[in-house]
Amino acid sequence: GGLRLYSTEGRKRIVFQPQGNSAGTNVTFTLCSRRHNAIGQLLLSNTGRFRAAKITSDSDRLCI
């Protein structure tokens, strides 16, 4: 409880095409805790691949 997930501006949903790629632009998801700090980030590329990303001070600002 109390977790929130934010995405980069402009991407409100993920759509995967039959070939496995993701429609739209690259997107970053930030997972925030109840204490309003970033606890994880995932990047989704247009090719449909996820990867973990380092948490930065900009990431924490998304959680406030």
Side-chain angles (χ1 to χ4, degrees), residues 11 14-16 22 25-29 42-51:
R11 288 290 299 263
I14 304 172
V15 177
F16 288 99
S22 172
T25 59
N26 293 346
V27 62
T28 302
F29 296 98
L42 285 175
L43 279 74
L44 173 63
S45 70
N46 283 342
T47 61
R49 292 182 171 226
F50 280 100
R51 70 176 173 88

Side-chain angles (χ1 to χ4, degrees), residues 1-13:
L3 296 177
R4 293 184 181 209
L5 184 67
Y6 294 96
S7 67
T8 48
E9 215 170 304
R11 288 290 299 263
K12 303 217 187 275
R13 62 185 142 160

